[in-house]
Amino acid sequence: SVYAQHFIVEAKDHRYPVPPDMVRSGNNYLRLLAASEGTNRHDERARAYAIYVLTRQGEITATLAASLQKRLEEKYAKTWEQDIAAGYLAASYQLMKQEGLAWKLFSRLKPGEQKNYSPYYDSMGRDAQLLYITAKHFPQRMKELQADILYAGLGAGSEEQLAAGGDGGLSGCIDLDVLSEDIVHYEIV
């Protein structure tokens, strides 16, 4: 699966020994997946994720990303920009040094905006993936969106609870320290 290959890439990036044939085999699967057309939004989301994992490893995926984006725009014009597929494409564009296109896609993504549910994809899972992409590829946005990501993105309480001084159940779960103007440190405790 794409998740397994992503895990392997993360392990390799953190200097854990990963058998080269495992990476090669996984990437062959990702290339086939990324080059195919999906029949629904779930399929296209998996393709965006595959493109991202390949791009993370330095593969040129510009044509794949552009083709997928075009399909998403044509088939899901009103909803695709809040899907995590847009986040994976934005991160891929960022890695390919296409910052303008990356920011255009990424700046539209908001935590808590995805309301549809499907197997293995709900609002909390989507927002957790958005948090990962933000921290990894758009860290300048972490400080700007820290409250939105922590409260909406992790499924905490309502705006009314927060306005009344509640923490939505996060007390004792997350320690947030601002270390400097540019760096925000999140620690699960």
Side-chain angles (χ1 to χ4, degrees), residues 1-10 22-37 43 45-61 64 68 71:
S1 79
V2 184
Y3 292 106
Q5 189 67 6
H6 188 187
F7 182 81
I8 289 167
V9 169
E10 288 289 341
M22 184 183 290
V23 175
R24 189 172 35 258
S25 177
N27 284 342
N28 286 339
Y29 166 74
L30 294 185
R31 285 185 205 98
L32 290 172
L33 179 64
S36 65
E37 287 191 27
D43 290 348
R45 187 179 304 125
R47 279 145 185 80
Y49 193 19
I51 289 167
Y52 167 73
V53 174
L54 289 168
T55 308
R56 277 275 309 272
Q57 298 172 80
E59 291 205 22
I60 307 298
T61 59
L64 294 169
L68 176 58
R71 283 196 313 272

Side-chain angles (χ1 to χ4, degrees), residues 26-130:
N27 284 342
N28 286 339
Y29 166 74
L30 294 185
R31 285 185 205 98
L32 290 172
L33 179 64
S36 65
E37 287 191 27
T39 59
N40 56 46
R41 199 158 56 172
H42 172 75
D43 290 348
E44 299 293 33
R45 187 179 304 125
R47 279 145 185 80
Y49 193 19
I51 289 167
Y52 167 73
V53 174
L54 289 168
T55 308
R56 277 275 309 272
Q57 298 172 80
E59 291 205 22
I60 307 298
T61 59
T63 303
L64 294 169
S67 295
L68 176 58
Q69 184 175 345
K70 183 178 182 203
R71 283 196 313 272
L72 289 168
E73 288 170 346
E74 290 171 356
K75 291 182 180 181
Y76 310 104
K78 295 182 181 181
T79 58
W80 86 274
E81 289 180 339
Q82 284 304 315
D83 195 284
I84 200 61
Y88 285 123
L89 285 175
S92 297
Y93 289 134
Q94 184 79 352
L95 288 165
M96 290 185 274
K97 306 296 184 208
Q98 296 180 25
E99 287 91 359
L101 186 52
W103 188 251
K104 180 180 174 186
L105 285 179
F106 191 76
S107 65
R108 295 176 182 159
L109 284 165
K110 306 290 182 230
E113 292 295 316
Q114 186 71 25
K115 302 298 182 203
N116 73 330
Y117 297 91
S118 63
Y120 307 107
Y121 186 71
D122 61 14
S123 59
M124 183 179 275
R126 179 255 190 201
D127 288 351
Q129 292 170 334
L130 178 58

Side-chain angles (χ1 to χ4, degrees), residues 131-157:
L131 177 61
Y132 168 82
I133 291 168
T134 304
K136 185 87 175 165
H137 302 289
F138 300 92
Q140 70 278 15
R141 192 160 176 214
M142 284 298 289
K143 186 172 182 184
E144 168 196 336
L145 294 180
Q146 64 191 17
D148 290 342
I149 290 170
L150 286 174
Y151 291 108
L154 295 176

